[in-house]
């Protein structure tokens, strides 16, 4: 895989000949990219087979939320509306899209795909290209800056792109799957650091400007894809650089002086390009200061267990200690942990190995949360996160996700060890060490081989919304689904998208502020009438309704600017219908398979 095509001599090549030559020279890159892409398609093949009505069952309601994000972004772009905020859900207060990880970096350029084929196609396309692109970008970084062997680099890229955390997030979180810009940012900083290390004098002004512009644009684009992964990457890459130069402080200071001007200018460029969106995110309408997730650390058992969506998880499932099926952020499996530990000891003289070990240990400790959990039981042992959980920005990160910083760090160790094994093989074909290494590598990685993510078919959109009948009942107000959508039941968001966003929704699935301290929460503040309807559905019992309850219902309808209440086919619909009849004082009508209460006359 490392052989390259011979240089062509003689007459000047034509454009097709030059293109063919580049293809020959890059055939290893192409072969590896093809393998990554094929694996990404295989993992998501269940969704690809049903691109319109398929649903990744482990996503909970997150797939619905992300599809809505992509759909409303395309709608706003097509209609030349501000994409940073919308009142199409949570009417009339609206939603701050910048504060909801809407991923404008893919949502805006993929607007034609969304408009032509629907948001589900955009969703699965983003996930597929995210797995493939992340793997290939790390492979590119390793093959250009870490090792000579492309086979060794391919091992590292494979682990980065298809690690258990990546597969887990591929169920529902594109912002933690599309990570291909992070290795490009690392590559740009490494390129600047190498120049500063090798060039003693001041660098040319033009080169500094080019470096700053490149770095600033990369960071800007990553902000448009996901800020939380960027924060975790920045902290871990900073720790890596600090430990790497700790044994060479003079060189480290030279590098710091050399890259500081370009990094500072890149930061300024980033602030200029992202100033308005970031202001909107932190100070605009429906912005919030932080999200109090509660304890969200990794369980210690999760580090050594196999992920649920893997061969090892099928054969040897462990105790379910993950926060939810989309947050299996550690789950490295005991064979890989054992292999990485032994390999790190054997390669300890390598500065890069020492640096990545510091990242693995530090960020794994942070990911365990404020108190050590083992088998879902709290041991009472305090951990470092308790000193960081109140730091601004960090306090909105799910601490479990800090383990994702260990993924490229582990990949560095696997890549360097693979390169060392191949070097031994070149020296002697009979050397037993390469065979031992690659045998151990296979035993460690095969149990982590991802399986096809499970998909179910979701029910179709009610005809009342799909055929446009809803238009007859809306006059610049909102549609109130009975009960209003919340994060646990967000399906109406896609009914709205299927109706081409011709109406606004009360309630929804988003992150917004609550209270005077503007602390973030998932979903809307639950109005009394919404709470009444949800309790009636859950208990399947008709609630007590008096004049005060009816007055409160009217107040809530006026708050929502309600035009119509709609009861779709759902659990315990009989109790819900009778409840709404009693609240409003008149009977609903059945229209296109749903019950409808036109309240424009009383609201």
């Amino acid at each position: 895989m490392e052989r390259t095509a011979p240089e062509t001599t003689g007459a000047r090549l034509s454009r097709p000949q030059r293109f063919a030559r580049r293809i020959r020279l890059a055939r290893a890159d192409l072969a590896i990219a093809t393998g990554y892409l094929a694996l990404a398609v295989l993992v998501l093949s269940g969704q690809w087979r049903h691109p319109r009505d398929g649903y990744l069952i482990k996503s909970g309601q997150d797939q619905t939320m992300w599809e809505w994000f992509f759909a409303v972004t395309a709608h706003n772009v097509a209609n030349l509306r501000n994409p940073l905020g919308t009142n199409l859900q949570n009417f009339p207060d609206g939603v701050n899209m910048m504060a909801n990880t809407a991923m404008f970096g893919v949502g805006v350029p993929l607007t034609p795909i969304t408009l032509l084929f629907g948001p589900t196609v955009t969703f699965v396309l983003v996930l597929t290209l995210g797995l493939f692109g992340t793997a290939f970008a790390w492979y590119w970084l390793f093959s250009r800056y870490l090792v000579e062997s492309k086979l060794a680099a391919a091992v590292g890229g494979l682990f980065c792109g298809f690690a258990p955390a990546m597969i887990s997030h591929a169920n529902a979180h594109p912002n933690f799957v599309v990570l291909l810009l992070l290795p490009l940012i690392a590559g740009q900083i490494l390129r600047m650091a190498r120049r500063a290390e090798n060039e003693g004098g001041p660098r040319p002004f033009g080169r500094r400007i080019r470096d700053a512009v490149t770095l600033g644009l990369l960071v800007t684009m990553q902000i448009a894809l996901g800020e939380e992964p960027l924060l975790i990457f920045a902290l871990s890459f900073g720790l890596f650089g600090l430990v790497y130069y700790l044994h060479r402080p003079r060189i480290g200071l030279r590098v710091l002086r050399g890259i500081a001007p370009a990094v500072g200018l890149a930061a300024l460029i980033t602030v200029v390009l992202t100033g308005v969106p970031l202001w909107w995110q932190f100070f605009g309408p429906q912005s919030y200061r932080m999200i109090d997730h509660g304890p969200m650390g990794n369980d210690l058992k999760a580090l050594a267990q196999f992920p649920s969506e893997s061969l090892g998880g099928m054969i040897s499932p462990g105790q379910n200690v993950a926060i939810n099926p989309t947050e299996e952020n550690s789950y490295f499996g005991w064979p890989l942990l054992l292999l990485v530990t032994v390999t790190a000891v054997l390669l300890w003289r390598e500065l890069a190995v020492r640096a990545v070990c510091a990242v693995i240990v530090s960020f794994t400790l942070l990911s365990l949360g404020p108190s050590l959990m083992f088998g879902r039981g709290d041991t009472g042992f305090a951990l470092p996160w308790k000193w960081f959980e109140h730091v601004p920005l960090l306090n909105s990160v799910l601490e479990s996700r800090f383990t994702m910083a260990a993924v490229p760090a582990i990949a560095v160790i696997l890549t360097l060890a693979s390169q060392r094994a191949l070097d031994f093989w070149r020296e002697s074909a009979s050397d037993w060490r390469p065979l031992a290494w690659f045998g151990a590598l296979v035993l460690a990685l095969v149990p982590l081989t991802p399986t096809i993510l499970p998909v179910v078919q979701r029910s179709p959109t009610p005809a009342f919304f799909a055929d446009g009948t809803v238009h007859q009942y809306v006059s610049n107000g909102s549609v109130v689904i009975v009960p209003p959508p919340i994060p646990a039941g967000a399906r109406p968001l896609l009914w709205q998208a299927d109706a081409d966003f011709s109406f606004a929704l009360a309630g929804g699935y988003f992150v917004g502020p609550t209270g005077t301290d503007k602390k973030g929460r998932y979903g809307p503040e639950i109005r009394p009438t919404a709470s009444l309807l949800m309790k009636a559905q859950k208990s399947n019992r008709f609630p007590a309704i008096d004049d005060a309850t009816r007055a409160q219902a009217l107040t809530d309808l006026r708050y929502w600017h309600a035009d119509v209440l709609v009861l779709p086919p759902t659990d315990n619909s009989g109790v819900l219908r009778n409840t709404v009849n009693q609240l409003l004082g008149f009977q609903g009508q059945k229209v296109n398979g749903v019950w409808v209460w036109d309240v424009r006359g009383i609201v």
Side-chain angles (χ1 to χ4, degrees):
M1 297 178 69
E2 293 184 274
R3 291 182 299 173
T4 58
E7 293 289 337
T8 305
T9 58
R12 184 177 180 181
L13 299 177
S14 65
R15 180 175 297 180
Q17 288 174 326
R18 291 199 302 273
F19 179 76
R21 176 174 172 268
R22 292 193 187 100
I23 292 296
R24 290 195 300 271
L25 291 172
R27 65 187 182 277
D29 291 346
L30 288 173
I32 291 168
T34 301
Y36 291 157
L37 181 59
L39 183 55
V41 171
L42 178 63
V43 168
L44 291 158
S45 59
Q47 186 69 70
W48 277 116
R49 286 196 297 268
H50 304 283
R52 290 197 176 275
D53 56 0
Y55 196 85
L56 291 164
I57 186 61
K58 289 193 173 182
S59 71
Q61 294 295 316
D62 285 352
Q63 179 173 340
T64 296
M65 179 189 70
W66 280 101
E67 290 178 1
W68 188 87
F69 284 161
F70 293 139
V72 78
T73 297
H75 175 76
N76 287 334
V77 171
N79 291 279
L80 302 180
R81 295 177 181 173
N82 176 19
L84 301 179
T86 182
N87 63 358
L88 286 171
Q89 63 166 310
N90 194 38
F91 194 85
D93 297 325
V95 175
N96 188 319
M97 295 290 285
M98 266 302 296
N100 276 269
T101 63
M103 288 188 78
F104 295 124
V106 292
V108 172
L110 291 181
T111 289
I113 300 295
T114 305
L115 295 177
L116 288 173
F117 304 105
T120 308
V121 172
T122 301
F123 176 73
V124 67
L125 179 64
V126 169
L127 291 175
T128 303
L129 295 181
L131 292 174
F132 154 71
T134 301
F136 189 77
W138 281 108
Y139 156 76
W140 172 86
L141 181 72
F142 295 153
S143 65
R144 269 64 175 179
Y145 291 94
L146 188 63
V147 293
E148 295 178 358
S149 168
K150 294 193 174 184
L151 175 59
V155 171
L158 178 69
F159 184 73
C160 287
F162 299 92
M166 294 290 290
I167 301 303
S168 175
H169 284 291
N171 279 291
H173 303 148
N175 58 324
F176 271 91
V177 174
V178 184
L179 305 179
L180 67 161
L181 291 184
L182 300 183
L184 300 186
I185 294 171
Q188 178 62 23
I189 296 175
L190 289 174
R191 184 159 47 247
M192 294 160 54
R194 282 190 175 182
R195 289 172 182 166
E197 189 173 326
N198 296 327
E199 299 173 4
R203 297 170 54 199
F205 180 75
R207 180 180 292 174
R208 283 184 175 179
I209 295 297
R210 289 194 299 272
D211 288 342
V213 170
T214 301
L215 183 58
L217 290 176
L218 287 172
V219 174
T220 297
M221 289 188 288
Q222 178 57 46
I223 288 174
L225 293 176
E227 298 168 38
E228 193 174 344
L230 178 62
L231 176 62
I232 296 172
F233 165 79
L235 294 174
S236 59
F237 193 64
L239 178 61
F240 170 85
L242 177 65
V243 176
Y244 184 81
Y245 286 111
L246 194 61
H247 300 282
R248 301 186 300 166
R250 291 185 179 180
I251 297 177
L253 289 175
R254 184 197 308 168
V255 169
L256 183 61
R257 288 194 299 266
I259 69 173
V263 172
L265 181 56
L268 180 61
I269 292 171
T270 302
V271 169
V272 170
L273 294 177
T274 62
V276 172
L278 290 180
W279 178 89
W280 192 285
Q281 175 179 346
F282 292 104
F283 304 102
Q286 291 299 106
S287 59
Y288 55 89
R289 297 289 176 260
M290 54 86 69
I291 307 176
D292 187 6
H293 294 290
M296 289 289 177
N298 284 324
D299 193 290
L300 188 62
K301 270 191 173 183
L303 297 175
Q305 291 185 174
F306 298 122
S308 58
E309 294 301 326
S310 68
L311 295 181
M314 293 175 60
I315 298 172
S316 178
Q319 181 184 359
N320 181 15
V321 293
I323 299 170
N324 59 58
T326 66
E327 297 289 349
E328 294 184 356
N329 295 307
S330 50
Y331 285 83
F332 296 115
W334 64 266
L336 179 64
L337 292 182
L338 179 61
L339 177 65
V340 168
T341 302
V342 173
T343 306
V345 172
L346 295 176
L347 297 179
W348 189 249
R349 295 182 63 182
E350 295 273 358
L351 291 180
V353 171
R354 299 183 188 183
V356 297
C357 283
V359 171
I360 294 171
V361 172
S362 300
F363 281 78
T364 299
L365 275 175
L366 288 178
S367 78
L368 296 175
S371 181
L372 183 64
M373 303 289 291
F374 186 80
R376 291 189 175 273
D378 191 346
T379 66
F381 188 78
L383 294 173
W385 177 248
K386 73 174 185 177
W387 291 291
F388 293 94
E389 61 182 342
H390 300 296
V391 176
L393 295 183
L394 288 182
N395 56 12
S396 293
V397 178
L398 268 68
E399 55 266 36
S400 169
R401 293 173 177 175
F402 280 113
T403 342
M404 295 190 72
V407 171
I410 290 173
V412 167
I413 295 176
L414 301 182
T415 302
L416 287 173
S418 297
Q419 177 69 63
R420 185 70 61 87
L422 292 173
D423 291 340
F424 287 143
W425 234 331
R426 290 191 187 97
E427 295 173 4
S428 173
S430 60
D431 196 324
W432 62 272
R433 288 174 292 183
L435 187 61
W437 163 254
F438 284 108
L441 184 65
V442 169
L443 291 176
L445 294 186
V446 164
L448 302 180
T449 302
T451 55
I452 298 174
L453 299 182
V455 171
V456 296
Q457 289 193 315
R458 53 186 162 194
S459 58
T461 298
F464 179 79
F465 299 103
D467 65 9
T469 305
V470 64
H471 301 167
Q472 304 171 19
Y473 295 87
V474 178
S475 303
N476 299 319
S478 71
V479 172
V480 179
I481 305 296
V482 181
I486 57 174
R491 185 76 175 97
L493 270 65
L494 289 188
W495 302 345
Q496 182 192 51
D498 289 340
D500 197 25
F501 295 100
S502 57
F503 61 88
L505 273 172
Y509 184 8
F510 59 94
V511 182
T514 181
T516 56
D517 58 357
K518 300 192 75 174
K519 183 179 291 186
R521 62 170 291 164
Y522 291 97
E525 293 196 52
I526 305 299
R527 305 286 299 181
T529 303
S531 177
L532 177 76
L533 294 172
M534 286 187 284
K535 289 178 180 177
Q537 183 183 39
K538 184 176 181 180
S539 66
N540 196 25
R541 292 181 179 179
F542 185 74
I545 295 177
D546 53 20
D547 290 341
T549 311
R550 294 186 183 94
Q552 181 63 59
L554 185 59
T555 299
D556 291 338
L557 292 175
R558 286 173 176 164
Y559 175 85
W560 289 320
H561 297 260
D563 282 341
V564 62
L565 278 73
V566 179
L567 173 61
T570 186
D571 295 337
N572 303 328
S573 60
V575 168
L576 288 173
R577 179 164 58 88
N578 289 329
T579 300
V580 177
N581 288 338
Q582 291 297 317
L583 284 174
L584 299 180
F586 63 90
Q587 301 291 316
Q589 296 180 332
K590 194 163 188 179
V591 181
N592 274 10
V594 302
W595 288 93
V596 174
W597 293 263
D598 190 337
V599 294
R600 286 173 289 186
I602 64 173
V603 172

